[in-house]
Structures are given as structure tokens and as C-alpha cells.
Amino acid sequence: VRGQVSFALSLHLCEGQRLARKILLADDSVTAQNMGRKILVDAGYEVLTVNNGSAALKRVAESRPDLIILDVYMPGYSGLEVCERLKNSPDTAHIPVLLSVGKLEPFKPQEARRVKADAHIVKPFEASELLSAIAHLEDGIVPEARKPIFCAPASNATEAEGENPEGVDKNS
């Protein structure tokens, strides 16, 4: 249609936006769920919570979260078992997984590598530590997620100069 610009939905974001909008937090501790939810909601994420590994697998299938935080020690399936199942499935292998483990709980980082977890964090953690770990994982979803392409209205300098860096045909 003449004069209309068709924008393809892309994962390139404007500065300050986050890529992982929906996060699944699986932890059997209500306190950990509440603290994690508060940190993440305050940072602008949609948060889904479950309290065991079986429920985590079910919620992943239903909700398709953008990122998953799994407590290593949960009833049902452990976070390690859930992570391994997710990473071995072509449907969910791409979803970043952050394992969380209590400071006094036995944990070997090589176990996280074995199940293909993307990262792990030790509880208790500061809000900034959690958000930093998530930001790092978001960068892995789309490496250039923080380099926007179209954030300004059509009057940006590139379009005003007649350049069309994305190859969008504006006359068809």
C-alpha cells in the first residue's frame, strides 16, 4: 500500500527496555519467591512463580517464559533436573536458565555446566546481583539487544536524510 511503512516485529529494543519480559521463578521457599518477585516486578518484568520442579515444567509448557530462574533444591524435580530436561528439548533449549542455590547448600558449578544452565547465583543475593545476572542472560538472547534500530518516530535523522538502513520499501 502506497505511503505505508510495514515494520516487521523485531527483537531490537529501545534503550532501557528489557528483552526478557516474562520470567518464571521456581523456588520452594515462599520467602524467596516473594523477594524475587518484588525485585523483578519492580524492574518491570512479568513474573510467574511455582514451588516445585514438576510445576515448573508444566508452567514452561503453558506460558513459554523468556527466562527461567530455578532453585537447585526443590521437591518434585530438582532445578538441575528441570534445567536438563529444558535444555535437552528443542522447544525450550533456547530459553536462558539461571540456577539459584543457597549459600550453605552443597553445590558444584560443574553440575550447572553438565545440565547446560546458562548461569547460577548464590542466595541470598542483592537485587542488583539478580538484575545483573538477568541482564547478562538477556544479552545472550540477542547480543545486540541494547542497540536500538527504530525507537524514534519516522522523523529521525536517518530517514530525514533519505537513507533506509533496513531496506524497508516505503513506496510499495
Side-chain angles (χ1 to χ4, degrees), residues 110-129:
Q110 57 265 34
E111 283 296 298
R113 289 190 294 277
R114 181 184 63 78
V115 298
K116 303 176 191 160
D118 296 278
H120 72 276
I121 190 168
V122 177
K123 299 182 286 187
F125 45 74
E126 297 292 324
S128 61
E129 292 174 294

Side-chain angles (χ1 to χ4, degrees), residues 19 94 96 118 133-146:
L19 188 62
H94 67 282
D118 296 278
I134 290 171
H136 178 74
L137 294 178
E138 287 177 321
D139 287 343
I141 296 172
V142 174
E144 296 186 347
R146 304 214 189 280

Side-chain angles (χ1 to χ4, degrees), residues 34-106:
N34 290 337
M35 295 287 289
R37 182 189 344 256
K38 175 158 181 30
I39 292 167
L40 297 170
V41 167
D42 287 352
Y45 294 99
E46 176 185 348
V47 180
L48 310 169
T49 58
V50 294
N51 62 6
N52 64 67
S54 300
L57 288 170
K58 183 178 178 186
R59 186 60 67 95
V60 168
E62 294 170 352
S63 304
R64 294 292 183 196
D66 301 307
L67 193 142
I68 302 167
I69 302 170
L70 297 171
D71 180 22
V72 170
Y73 294 100
M74 289 187 293
Y77 296 110
S78 73
L80 293 170
E81 291 170 309
V82 172
C83 182
E84 187 170 38
R85 286 175 179 238
L86 294 171
K87 293 299 185 174
N88 286 333
S89 169
D91 293 335
T92 55
H94 67 282
I95 303 172
V97 174
L98 175 63
L99 294 177
S100 66
V101 62
K103 185 177 184 176
L104 301 177
E105 295 173 328

